[in-house]
Amino acid sequence: MKRGEIHYYSYDRGWTLRERGIALKEPFHLSYPQLIRSGEDIFMLPEAYQSGRLTLYRAVDFPTRWEPAAVLLEEPAVDSTVFHHQQRWWMFHALFGPDGRDTRELHVAFADSLTGPWHKHKQNPVRTGHASSRPAGSPFLDGDKLYFPTQDCTTGYGSAINLLGIDRLTPEEFSADIVRRLSPEGWHDGFDQGFHTLSDGGGVTLIDVKRIDRSPMRHLIKLQHWLRRQARRV
């Protein structure tokens, strides 16, 4: 079974790797980790849709030890992205479901406190369609304008990023338009087959681009995965 874990990498100021290891491992798939600082605490919000809920973790000993702090949503949330804006906490997220629901619906939630309770936006899903519904990184302000990167999944998962300009964000209203498309070409040599995320890293900008290397053993690996799935159904 393919199951993601959250790993950490520690670099010095010259970008020399000093340490690496496992930050968080669960009996279900983890991905898309977001670090959030609130007061004196550091939190992490990883995607864990296979658990059927969205759990916020607090650092006990950063970055190696984490403990569950709160369940924010009792739903299989996908690529949840939390940020503080206009005296509220906001969350953009997708939901796992049939027919690729997680790539064609954008949902919003809000709360007065990071740990909740969280409330669903009245217009959910606030956007539909494969072009700009799945979160793709952290929102950011340019002047007074709020922007949010979303995945362009019209030609495949994580093929490019469409940047949303948020015109209206209140508990009752949401409006946004695509203001720019960012394709994977030109960001990193050889990695021009997808652009997954664009995020603020506190003084640096983090990008997630991809290339596809097809192993000659891929057909055998797929067969092994299929056989394991059939064995679990018996």
Side-chain angles (χ1 to χ4, degrees):
M1 179 180 180
K2 294 184 289 185
R3 185 176 65 206
E5 304 166 347
I6 307 301
H7 289 228
Y8 72 89
Y9 295 77
S10 177
Y11 295 85
D12 63 17
R13 292 184 179 275
W15 293 106
T16 300
L17 179 63
R18 295 301 188 188
E19 186 181 359
R20 60 182 293 185
I22 297 176
L24 183 62
K25 182 178 180 179
E26 295 282 20
F28 41 80
H29 177 75
L30 298 172
S31 64
Y32 199 88
Q34 181 191 7
L35 293 180
I36 309 157
R37 185 180 292 275
S38 181
E40 298 298 317
D41 291 319
I42 298 175
F43 295 90
M44 177 167 59
L45 188 65
E47 178 197 297
Y49 79 90
Q50 291 180 352
S51 70
R53 56 177 53 180
L54 180 64
T55 302
L56 180 73
Y57 294 81
R58 179 187 290 109
V60 177
D61 183 13
F62 182 84
T64 60
R65 292 179 55 216
W66 301 81
E67 64 180 10
V71 174
L72 304 192
L73 296 176
E74 291 283 1
E75 292 183 296
V78 174
D79 291 355
S80 300
T81 306
V82 166
F83 60 103
H84 195 260
H85 179 62
Q86 295 178 341
Q87 287 75 56
R88 283 190 179 92
W89 287 95
W90 296 91
M91 181 196 304
F92 292 153
H93 67 282
L95 287 174
F96 182 77
D99 302 321
R101 186 186 185 190
D102 54 314
T103 63
R104 56 179 172 80
E105 289 184 4
L106 177 62
H107 292 251
V108 173
F110 58 93
D112 292 327
S113 169
L114 175 60
T115 55
W118 284 82
H119 309 282
K120 299 177 183 179
H121 198 280
K122 292 182 178 180
Q123 290 184 260
N124 279 343
V126 297
R127 288 185 73 82
T128 58
H130 292 96
S132 57
S133 295
R134 183 161 175 153
S138 55
F140 61 91
L141 284 171
D142 185 10
D144 294 329
K145 183 76 169 183
L146 179 66
Y147 296 92
F148 179 55
T150 60
Q151 288 190 37
D152 182 353
C153 296
T154 52
T155 60
Y157 170 70
S159 58
I161 286 178
N162 278 323
L163 190 62
L164 289 182
I166 310 297
D167 298 314
R168 187 74 172 160
L169 179 62
T170 73
E172 295 80 24
E173 297 178 283
F174 178 90
S175 63
D177 288 301
I178 296 173
V179 296
R180 186 173 179 183
R181 185 178 189 273
L182 303 172
S183 62
E185 295 84 6
W187 292 85
H188 188 55
D189 289 345
F191 291 80
D192 58 358
Q193 293 175 295
F195 194 174
H196 185 238
T197 58
L198 174 70
S199 300
D200 173 25
V204 296
T205 299
L206 305 176
I207 64 172
D208 177 6
V209 290
K210 71 178 181 182
R211 70 180 177 192
I212 299 174
D213 293 325
R214 300 192 182 279
S215 167
M217 299 293 290
R218 65 186 183 277
H219 298 301
L220 177 59
I221 294 170
K222 288 182 178 179
L223 176 60
Q224 290 172 338
H225 288 159
W226 182 84
L227 290 173
R228 282 197 291 268
R229 287 198 301 269
Q230 299 308 308
R232 288 196 295 269
R233 292 173 181 173
V234 175

